[in-house]
Amino acid sequence: MKSILVLIGLGICVGAQAQEWTFGPKVNLGLSARQPLEEVVVGTIRATVGGSSGDASTSGVGAFARYDRLRWYGQAEVNRLRSQQLSASITTTTLGFTTAQPRNRSNRTDVRIVGGYKLLPWLRASVGLGAVHHDANPADAYQHLIASAEQQAVQFPEAKDQFLSQARAYEVAQVIQNGLQRQWLEASLGLGIDIGGLTADLVHTNTLTPLINGIVVRDRTYALRQQATFWSLQLGYRLFPLKAHLLAPRKNRAYERIKRDIPFYRNEFHLSGGLLGEDIGSAFLYENRYTHYLTRRAGITAGLNLMRINETYVNGFLPKQYTQVQLVTGFRVLPLYSRRHTIGLTAGPLFIYETGFRTNSGGTRTMNGQLVQTVDFSASSRAQGLSVAVQGTIDYNFAATDRLILGPWLRATPDYGYLGVQAGYRF
C-alpha cells in the first residue's frame, strides 16, 4: 500500500512536467453484487450465506493517477467505499431473520493498480489488482439481542427452550459477521471510454481470497467459505494538467467557434424526475435544480428534491416507508461542451431530512403450527432526523434549441444510486 501511495505522489509531481501524467477524483457506483449460496448447520440453526443484490453496495469516492502512452496506460488509485458484505439468512424452528441490513454495511478502503490497452483513442480495456482493507464491524452488534433472549428465558420458563434457541441464532449471526476478513485481494476487468477529461468505466470485480474462511461457534469449527463478484460503474475526471483536460487549449479552433456562435447563458434551471436505483421496493424522486455558471464550463449548483420511499418485505428487507427532503449542492463542470450536446459532472454535499417509520426486527416464526412472516414495531421505529452525505452526479443534455435542453442523469451516494430524466431552460 505504501508503494502505491508513493507511486501516486510521484505521478502528481511529474504531472506538471510530463503531459502523459494526469490525476483526479472518481466516483464508484455499485450496480450489482453476487455471492454463491453456502449453508452451515449449527445444531437446530441453519444459516444460508450469500445471494444476489442490485443494491449500490461497494459505492463511494476515490482518487487516481494515470500515465498514458499511445496504445497503453497505467493507473494507480485509492478508493473509500461503503460496502455490504455477507448477507445471511438465519432460521430455527421458531425464528427467521436476515443479517442483510443494517448491521453488515460498513466501510472499506482499497488500493488498486490498473493496466490497460487502448482499442481506439477513446476506448480502453483494462485489468486490475486491488488490496482491500475492511473496517472492523461494531463490536457485539447482536449482543443486546442475545442478552434479551437469555433474560426472557429466565422470565418465562415455560418458553425457555424457544428463547434460548433464539439467543443461539443471534450468536451464530454475530459469529458470521465477525468472521469477515479484514483484508483480501481482488482482481478486475473493465471497459472504459474517455470524453475529454471525463473517464467512464464498467468494471467487473472478483475476490481472489475468501471474505470468510470458516467460523467457530462455542469452540467448534464449521466450514464456511465465501467469495464475491460485483459490477460497478466508475466515473472520473482528469483534472491536471489543467490546460489539457479542464480548460480548452487556446488554439482549439472548434472551441473558439463554439464560443463565437453560442451565447453564454449564465443560468440553467432543471425540472427532473427519477427513481432510486435499488431493488428494495419503490421510490420516486422529484427535483428542481438551479445552476449558475461562473464560466462557460464551470459553475455552482443547488437542487431541492422530494422523495417518497416504500420498502417491501422481499429479499430480507423489512418494511419501511418514509419521505425525504434533499438539498443537493455542488460544483459543476462540463467536460463535453458543444452547441447541441453537453455532459455535466457535479460533486458536493447532500443534505437529507427524513421522516417516516422503519421496523426494527422481524422474520419467520411459527404461529398455530404455520410458518408466517412477522415484523416488530417499537417506539424507535419512527425515523426522523437530518443527515449529510456526499454525492456525485453525471448528466447528459441535448439542446433542442439553444435554450431548451433535456436528457438523462445518474447520481451516486455512499448508500444509494439514483437515475432519471430532466428538462431544462438556459437564460
Side-chain angles (χ1 to χ4, degrees):
M1 182 179 292
K2 292 181 179 178
S3 299
I4 295 174
L5 293 176
V6 170
L7 177 61
I8 293 175
L10 178 61
I12 294 172
C13 295
V14 177
Q17 301 176 354
Q19 291 296 312
E20 293 88 350
W21 279 101
T22 55
F23 73 96
K26 62 179 300 188
V27 175
N28 295 266
L29 173 62
L31 301 178
S32 67
R34 182 181 181 276
Q35 297 169 1
L37 292 175
E38 299 288 343
E39 191 173 81
V40 60
V41 178
V42 181
T44 61
I45 302 164
R46 185 180 302 274
T48 304
V49 183
S52 299
S53 173
D55 298 337
S57 56
T58 320
S59 294
V61 297
F64 68 92
R66 177 169 146 180
Y67 181 78
D68 280 276
R69 301 300 290 176
L70 181 62
R71 301 298 296 180
W72 61 270
Y73 74 98
Q75 181 168 304
E77 58 187 61
V78 179
N79 300 291
R80 182 65 172 171
L81 308 173
R82 186 72 168 167
S83 182
Q84 179 174 302
Q85 305 288 353
L86 293 179
S87 173
S89 176
I90 312 293
T91 57
T92 70
T93 56
T94 60
L95 178 67
F97 63 94
T98 180
T99 66
Q101 292 285 355
R103 294 183 179 87
N104 77 324
R105 178 164 286 193
S106 54
N107 295 319
R108 54 174 270 180
T109 302
D110 70 61
V111 181
R112 197 169 302 271
I113 290 290
V114 178
Y117 180 77
K118 297 180 181 179
L119 304 172
L120 295 170
W122 54 272
L123 181 64
R124 301 172 283 103
S126 65
V127 296
L129 179 65
V132 178
H133 175 79
H134 181 265
D135 291 0
N137 284 310
D140 300 326
Y142 287 89
Q143 195 58 47
H144 70 287
L145 295 175
I146 297 172
S148 176
E150 290 177 341
Q151 183 180 6
Q152 289 177 308
V154 175
Q155 293 178 343
F156 307 100
E158 68 277 6
K160 177 181 178 180
D161 292 341
Q162 175 182 339
F163 288 118
L164 289 180
S165 176
Q166 292 180 12
R168 301 293 79 82
Y170 292 130
E171 183 180 335
V172 170
Q174 181 167 271
V175 168
I176 291 174
Q177 175 184 275
N178 293 340
L180 180 66
Q181 300 293 311
R182 297 291 302 280
Q183 291 88 24
W184 64 82
L185 296 177
E186 295 178 341
S188 62
L189 294 173
L191 190 66
I193 60 173
D194 295 328
I195 306 174
L198 174 68
T199 67
D201 293 82
L202 182 64
V203 180
H204 180 261
T205 304
N206 192 87
T207 56
L208 297 178
T209 54
L211 299 175
I212 189 170
N213 194 12
I215 60 173
V216 178
V217 182
R218 293 182 175 261
D219 299 323
R220 181 175 175 181
T221 301
Y222 297 85
L224 178 63
R225 185 182 176 90
Q226 268 289 312
Q227 292 187 262
T229 61
F230 55 90
W231 288 90
S232 62
L233 177 64
Q234 302 180 6
L235 305 173
Y237 198 87
R238 296 183 287 169
L239 288 174
F240 298 99
L242 283 173
K243 184 177 179 181
H245 294 286
L246 183 62
L247 304 176
R250 295 181 180 179
K251 295 182 180 180
N252 187 322
R253 295 181 180 178
Y255 185 63
E256 291 299 325
R257 187 171 60 252
I258 288 172
K259 290 198 296 182
R260 184 176 63 251
D261 296 345
I262 302 178
F264 177 23
Y265 298 112
R266 286 193 174 274
N267 304 290
E268 189 174 85
F269 180 75
H270 278 98
L271 296 176
S272 68
L275 299 172
L276 189 67
E278 309 291 330
D279 59 354
I280 60 175
S282 63
F284 178 79
L285 181 145
Y286 171 77
E287 176 174 294
N288 297 311
R289 189 170 70 253
Y290 169 74
T291 302
H292 178 72
Y293 287 97
L294 307 175
T295 72
R296 288 177 175 269
R297 304 180 70 169
I300 53 176
T301 187
L304 187 62
N305 308 342
L306 182 66
M307 184 168 68
R308 181 74 169 173
I309 293 182
N310 178 38
E311 290 189 7
T312 55
Y313 196 100
V314 293
N315 299 327
F317 288 97
L318 293 171
K320 181 192 298 184
Q321 188 174 68
Y322 56 88
T323 300
Q324 281 189 0
V325 178
Q326 303 177 351
L327 176 62
V328 183
T329 62
F331 182 74
R332 178 174 172 82
V333 295
L334 303 178
L336 176 64
Y337 178 81
S338 70
R339 188 179 188 91
R340 294 300 178 199
H341 309 278
T342 58
I343 290 179
L345 290 176
T346 306
L350 171 64
F351 303 91
I352 302 172
Y353 177 77
E354 178 179 295
T355 180
F357 76 89
R358 65 185 71 204
T359 52
N360 302 92
S361 61
T364 306
R365 293 185 174 88
T366 302
M367 299 181 64
N368 299 324
Q370 294 184 344
L371 205 61
V372 297
Q373 287 185 327
T374 64
V375 294
D376 301 326
F377 292 92
S378 66
S380 60
S381 296
R382 179 172 175 80
Q384 186 171 5
L386 180 67
S387 60
V388 182
V390 177
Q391 62 85 22
T393 304
I394 179 172
D395 63 87
Y396 164 77
N397 282 303
F398 171 76
T401 71
D402 282 346
R403 293 180 179 271
L404 296 177
I405 52 179
L406 56 102
W409 59 271
L410 177 67
R411 178 174 300 141
T413 69
D415 292 325
Y416 295 114
Y418 310 83
L419 66 160
V421 294
Q422 61 189 8
Y425 181 74
R426 300 187 292 204
F427 58 98

